[in-house]
Amino acid sequence: MLRKPIFFILFLFILSGCDHSPEYEVIYSDEEKEPTDVTTRPEENKKDPYTIAIVPKIDGIPYFNAVEEGALEAGNDLGVKVIYTGPPTASSEQQEAIITKLIAKKVDVIAVSANDPYKLGSVLQKAKSKGIKVITWDSDTNASYRSFFVNMVDPEIIGRHVMDTLAIEMEEKGEYAIMTGSPTAANLNTWIDWIQIQQKEYYPTMKLVEVEYTNEDIHKAYAVTQKLFKKYPDLKGIIGISTVNPPAVAQAVKDAGKIGKVAVVGTSTPNLMNAYLQEGAAQTITLWSPQKLGYLTVSLAKNLLNDEIPYEGQNIKNIGLIKFNGDMVIMGEPIDFTKGNVNQYDF
């Protein structure tokens, strides 16, 4: 039994490989850019440029490194200064310390991917009181702490879609587990809600046995997967959300000799998952262009400084059309990476 046709059609369209729409292409490349002609810039850019601070959940993992590439590219294109700085672990306390320093630097915008939707409230309110604009991206806070949220995809679509990819591999029956990042990450928790809704509505013979939290730690994710294998010998599938989880799960599947016995799907980057997809340790990995997310966040942050609020159907240069529902931007649709198309992507 498959779910509503709109999600199944989306799945088939994305898996078609090369024929994906340019709207979802990676915008960042290593090709040398033509020098910017400063004489064509608006008069305002002859003054000191705006400073936009981008704070990820955690620094140094491939997904957020790719976001940084896109953010810095946007800064260069738009004539703004971009500070990209994040904590070494997925900690809201460390994010709060970073934001406090950014307030002292008198940046113009703070854009944060929050590790907790509430714990950053006090420091973000302080930033706003100092005249600093605040937005969120990737993972939201309470709406009162920011102007708007830059989301990658519709959370219902990503949650339901990822569940569909696992159901296909498991033939819609058997035990599965979910491995996620921080227990307080608002975006991941919303996806998990939709994953479970989709499973209960359309795949009643599948059973969720456990949700495990790895706090974006790939070594912990590997150990947790080994524990799941021992605890649930009949386990047939694992969904890994948070980009470090699927490669850890796939490596554990490979090491345990369970290729073809345990299906692996979830959200990660094609570069992290390429080898695992090629050898069958994972089947379908879903994401979007993180470079585009970084580029879009900086673009909208600069617009906000010019008193421009996003709107439904707005065409953002190098991104395409966005959706906007009043306080949340949605960048686009997810992309599936499989053995058949993963070599087309490089991030």
Side-chain angles (χ1 to χ4, degrees):
M1 167 190 333
L2 289 174
R3 62 181 169 87
K4 296 180 182 178
I6 186 171
F7 295 104
F8 185 57
I9 290 168
L10 171 64
F11 177 73
L12 290 178
F13 172 76
I14 293 171
L15 285 188
S16 61
C18 327
D19 242 357
H20 56 275
S21 163
E23 183 180 348
Y24 310 134
E25 290 178 356
V26 178
I27 59 168
Y28 180 86
S29 71
D30 291 324
E31 296 175 2
E32 187 174 349
K33 293 181 176 293
E34 292 293 326
T36 302
D37 181 0
V38 296
T39 63
T40 65
R41 288 183 177 173
E43 185 72 22
E44 64 179 19
N45 285 340
K46 294 182 179 179
K47 303 175 184 178
D48 291 339
Y50 291 132
T51 299
I52 297 170
I54 309 293
V55 183
K57 287 181 185 174
I58 184 172
D59 198 19
I61 67 173
Y63 173 79
F64 287 117
N65 290 345
V67 172
E68 180 179 10
E69 291 173 355
L72 294 177
E73 181 182 356
N76 181 67
D77 290 350
L78 301 173
V80 297
K81 179 180 179 181
V82 172
I83 298 175
Y84 191 94
T85 177
T89 60
S91 162
S92 56
E93 290 78 15
Q94 291 177 8
Q95 282 188 317
E96 182 176 3
I98 287 170
I99 292 169
T100 298
K101 291 179 180 178
L102 292 170
I103 293 171
K105 289 178 179 290
K106 299 181 179 179
V107 300
D108 297 293
V109 178
I110 294 173
V112 59
S113 172
N115 280 309
D116 186 283
Y118 299 104
K119 290 182 179 178
L120 296 179
S122 177
V123 72
L124 293 179
Q125 297 282 31
K126 179 180 179 182
K128 290 168 66 176
S129 73
K130 299 290 186 180
I132 297 171
K133 305 287 188 182
V134 175
I135 62 175
T136 55
W137 60 279
D138 180 72
S139 185
D140 201 8
T141 62
N142 181 281
S144 64
Y145 305 149
R146 45 65 171 173
S147 295
F148 53 81
F149 170 42
V150 185
N151 204 348
M152 303 75 67
V153 292
D154 184 308
E156 178 178 357
I157 287 178
I158 189 71
R160 287 184 181 271
H161 178 66
V162 168
M163 183 69 246
D164 283 351
T165 64
L166 183 66
I168 289 171
E169 300 300 331
M170 290 179 56
E171 298 181 341
E172 303 180 19
K173 60 181 181 292
E175 297 179 343
Y176 74 99
I178 298 172
M179 289 176 56
T180 183
S182 165
T184 58
N187 63 328
L188 304 184
N189 289 337
T190 303
W191 299 351
I192 291 171
D193 289 343
W194 283 112
I195 286 169
Q196 294 183 76
I197 289 170
Q198 183 71 358
Q199 183 255 301
K200 290 173 183 176
E201 287 182 355
Y202 294 98
Y203 310 112
T205 56
M206 294 177 67
K207 180 184 178 183
L208 176 62
V209 294
E210 201 155 333
V211 177
E212 289 279 359
Y213 301 93
T214 65
N215 290 308
E216 316 285 347
D217 184 331
I218 196 166
H219 303 292
K220 182 176 180 180
Y222 182 86
V224 166
T225 308
Q226 292 178 312
K227 184 187 79 171
L228 287 171
F229 290 159
K230 292 178 181 178
K231 189 173 181 180
Y232 303 103
D234 295 327
L235 192 69
K236 299 299 182 185
I238 298 176
I239 295 174
I241 58 175
S242 138
T243 56
V244 300
N245 285 330
V249 173
Q251 184 64 50
V253 165
K254 180 180 176 181
D255 292 347
K258 291 183 177 289
I259 292 179
K261 299 176 182 178
V262 176
V264 177
V265 304
T267 57
S268 191
T269 68
N271 287 352
L272 282 175
M273 295 304 298
N274 190 312
Y276 297 117
L277 290 167
Q278 300 290 357
E279 61 193 0
Q283 286 69 48
T284 304
I285 295 300
T286 305
L287 203 65
W288 44 86
S289 167
Q291 287 96 335
K292 282 182 68 173
L293 178 59
Y295 197 104
L296 176 61
T297 300
V298 172
S299 297
L300 295 179
K302 183 182 179 185
N303 287 351
L304 183 62
L305 288 167
N306 293 328
D307 297 321
E308 299 173 18
I309 300 296
Y311 57 87
E312 176 69 19
Q314 184 176 4
N315 192 354
I316 303 295
K317 186 178 179 181
N318 289 330
I319 301 296
L321 302 179
I322 61 171
K323 297 180 181 179
F324 188 62
N325 69 0
D327 73 343
M328 180 172 68
V329 173
I330 296 176
M331 182 174 71
E333 304 290 355
I335 309 168
D336 277 352
F337 309 110
T338 66
K339 180 179 180 179
N341 72 354
V342 67
N343 285 333
Q344 300 171 29
Y345 300 91
D346 183 19
F347 61 89

